[in-house]
Amino acid sequence: MNIPFTLSSAVEPLPQAHAIPLDQLDVSDPRLLEQNIWPDYFKRLRDEAPIHYLPASPFGAFWSITRFDDIKFVDSNWKLFSSEPVIVIGDRTEDMELDMFIAMDPPKHDQQRKAVQGVVAPANLTQMEGLIRQRVGSILDNLPIGESFNWVEHVSVELTSQMLATLFGFPFEDRHKLIYWSDMATAVPEMTGAICDPEERMSAMGECAKTFSGLWHQRAAEQAAGQPPGFDLIQLLQNNEDTKDLIERPKEFLGNLILLIVGGNDTTRNSISGGVHALNQFPAEFDKLRADPGLIPNMVSEIIRWQTPLAHMRRIATEDVQMHGQTIRKGDKVVMWYLSGNRDERVIDQADHFMIDRHNARQHLSFGFGIHRCMGNRLAEMQLRVLWEEILQRFHWIEVVGEPEYVRSNFVKGFKSLPVKIHPK
Ligand code: HEM
């Protein structure tokens, strides 16, 4: 496969969307997100070719689905659109043959999801909330005041790593390893156009597998010695009939762990950064927030819509399907561009405006639809709500003081850096 973006750090400005013939418009180019010029490309597809076929791209031929209702249709029909074998636009590489339930169809998907979803059950979330609030508070209390710093590194990554360590019962002092492994797992140039050295990735995945199997055996020994079972993810897996021997299926074992690490990492991290950025683009919204902190839950949904931390999910058509007069053939790749559906003016009022008091703010595509709808959505919302409640207790304003840098990927829509200065109350 020809991958023109791999490992190159040069940033050449891409042409404007209207300068490219429609049949050659390639929205899989990971530089679209890096250069933050994606909105016009997707608006053009929504308006002129809502079901768009690109016969050749570095990721192969694919259909783009860009309108809200069409995405919902595809996502809700797993029988017509399969999630196997992978859910990103590029094809799976030999060294990444991990089995994850996000990339499985029923019945296997349903069994595996059922086995782990207890970790995000309401009772567990309520238990976790106090700890998360405490950790958020201590991160915010230690931020430098009156000087510029990188919000991504000091808050978004830090908070996410602490949350992940809590979820996995992972040694707190080693929590940054979780972030590193997740970054390595998603930086798959052949699949998403992200930048990464393949050897480094392989070695990181090996270390991740080794560490987690160590943790698995340690937990099993503790339980065998009579310690009461805890409620972290490893123990949930060990105490479930379908997954108690997961360790004997290494690809599935690592796959599911990586899925949960990745699921809770980039997404939450970039929503934390995205909220600060959005409020700086629309500062009147921060005034509304100060005047009415009760808007926080609604704002959290609006942040998740606005940021759309995962730009797409892909499917494979299982039979010929007609959409908007086009025939998607059995076996074709179909890419649902959530970031586009979330800006679809046909369904979302003033979609290019960030409005914290938006009516129906939860009606967005960022968590997907149907059987694969994000398992961690309530956890993510809870973390963001707690974060903003604690921010409002302490700060008058978080000012973005420089240009953000964006991640190069067509999958993870996120920030590499976001320079800010804090103005206390
Ligand atoms: C699935 C987004 C947070 C775990 C998904 C999907 C999306 C998504 C788009 C696929 C939906 C589909 O195919 O229809 C997000 C966003 C988040 C977030 C935007 C934060 C703002 C989390 C967290 C966790 C998590 C914190 C950790 C527990 C998962 C899992 C799946 C998933 C396990 C696979 C579900 C399945 O295949 O049945 N997420 N996610 N996510 N997410 Fe999240």
Side-chain angles (χ1 to χ4, degrees):
M1 196 194 299
N2 169 29
I3 310 287
F5 325 109
T6 317
L7 302 175
S8 153
S9 59
V11 179
E12 243 175 70
L14 291 169
Q16 296 294 310
H18 281 91
I20 303 169
L22 189 59
D23 60 357
Q24 291 167 29
L25 204 78
D26 180 3
V27 285
S28 73
D29 188 327
R31 294 169 299 180
L32 285 186
L33 293 186
E34 185 183 35
Q35 295 180 22
N36 199 29
I37 55 163
W38 57 272
D40 286 347
Y41 277 67
F42 284 101
K43 180 165 174 34
R44 186 153 179 228
L45 287 193
R46 281 196 306 277
D47 290 346
E48 298 176 32
I51 308 292
H52 176 264
Y53 188 65
L54 188 69
S57 89
F59 305 97
F62 67 95
W63 292 93
S64 281
I65 314 292
T66 47
R67 288 190 188 165
F68 191 103
D69 288 338
D70 296 329
I71 291 171
K72 212 171 148 181
F73 170 76
V74 172
D75 218 356
S76 312
N77 276 288
W78 62 266
K79 283 190 181 150
L80 285 181
F81 300 99
S82 166
S83 294
E84 296 180 1
V86 284
I87 44 76
V88 292
I89 193 166
D91 292 312
R92 157 152 139 164
T93 54
E94 269 169 31
D95 64 334
M96 274 304 282
E97 289 201 2
L98 299 174
D99 294 338
M100 312 186 179
F101 63 87
I102 198 170
M104 291 176 193
D105 295 330
K108 216 171 164 203
H109 161 270
D110 303 0
Q111 286 159 5
Q112 299 219 352
R113 177 168 169 137
K114 207 167 127 225
V116 291
Q117 72 186 4
V119 76
V120 288
N124 219 19
L125 291 189
T126 311
Q127 270 190 343
M128 260 187 254
E129 181 168 335
L131 191 55
I132 287 178
R133 188 175 298 281
Q134 206 184 318
R135 289 179 169 168
V136 167
S138 100
I139 291 173
L140 297 180
D141 286 337
N142 286 304
L143 292 175
I145 299 292
E147 61 182 73
S148 158
F149 67 92
N150 182 2
W151 180 263
V152 175
E153 182 190 340
H154 289 270
V155 182
S156 311
V157 172
E158 190 50 43
L159 180 56
T160 314
S161 72
Q162 297 194 8
M163 186 275 302
L164 283 174
T166 313
L167 212 61
F168 284 97
F170 197 78
F172 195 65
E173 60 286 3
D174 289 339
R175 63 193 182 278
H176 293 111
K177 285 188 183 169
L178 295 170
I179 300 288
Y180 173 66
W181 295 330
S182 170
D183 287 348
M184 284 293 123
T186 44
V188 192
E190 304 87 327
M191 293 163 86
T192 65
I195 304 169
C196 166
D197 172 358
E199 271 181 31
E200 187 185 354
R201 195 176 79 245
M202 279 296 279
S203 123
M205 293 302 91
E207 194 203 350
C208 176
K210 209 169 138 206
T211 311
F212 270 106
S213 60
L215 201 59
W216 178 284
H217 291 302
Q218 190 187 328
R219 291 282 172 276
E222 284 164 7
Q223 277 201 46
Q227 275 194 28
F231 212 56
D232 63 64
L233 199 88
I234 301 280
Q235 299 196 55
L236 275 176
L237 293 172
Q238 287 174 336
N239 293 320
N240 183 293
E241 223 13 69
D242 294 327
T243 48
K244 64 176 198 284
D245 56 354
L246 197 63
I247 192 85
E248 284 150 35
R249 289 169 279 160
K251 277 203 274 180
E252 216 174 289
F253 175 66
L254 187 60
N256 278 332
L257 288 170
I258 295 279
L259 171 59
L260 285 150
I261 302 173
V262 172
N265 178 27
D266 285 301
T267 51
T268 314
R269 177 202 309 183
N270 288 311
S271 305
I272 295 173
S273 304
V276 170
H277 188 237
L279 285 164
N280 273 261
Q281 288 176 293
F282 295 86
E285 300 302 298
F286 210 116
D287 297 334
K288 279 190 208 162
L289 183 64
R290 272 185 226 108
D292 182 5
L295 286 170
I296 289 175
N298 207 65
M299 177 180 80
V300 163
S301 292
E302 177 68 348
I303 289 174
I304 294 170
R305 174 190 77 91
W306 183 255
Q307 181 56 32
T308 318
L310 297 182
H312 79 260
M313 287 281 155
R314 103 158 195 209
R315 301 290 186 255
I316 299 286
T318 57
E319 52 186 86
D320 291 1
V321 187
Q322 291 278 331
M323 286 181 81
H324 291 277
Q326 309 253 41
T327 306
I328 297 173
R329 299 269 170 220
K330 180 178 177 178
D332 284 354
K333 267 186 207 177
V334 179
V335 181
M336 302 175 285
W337 293 103
Y338 295 137
L339 82 174
S340 171
N342 274 339
R343 299 293 176 97
D344 185 355
E345 323 56 21
R346 287 155 198 83
V347 173
I348 297 173
D349 179 38
Q350 300 182 64
D352 280 329
H353 282 76
F354 175 77
M355 296 191 275
I356 69 168
D357 50 358
R358 177 180 290 285
H359 174 64
N360 260 347
R362 276 200 113 233
Q363 182 208 21
H364 60 67
L365 293 168
S366 301
F367 291 131
F369 269 94
I371 61 164
H372 291 281
R373 184 173 164 79
C374 176
M375 201 186 85
N377 70 88
R378 296 286 175 185
L379 170 61
E381 287 173 346
M382 182 263 273
Q383 287 183 88
L384 289 167
R385 172 175 58 74
V386 169
L387 171 71
W388 282 99
E389 284 167 0
E390 295 302 311
I391 285 176
L392 279 195
Q393 296 283 326
R394 292 165 172 81
F395 307 142
H396 176 72
W397 178 225
I398 302 167
E399 183 191 3
V400 173
V401 292
E403 283 302 310
E405 281 183 294
Y406 300 100
V407 173
R408 182 185 296 188
S409 166
N410 57 33
F411 183 63
V412 172
K413 180 167 171 288
F415 295 81
K416 279 204 306 209
S417 65
L418 184 66
V420 299
K421 201 186 257 187
I422 279 172
H423 300 268
K425 268 180 142 176

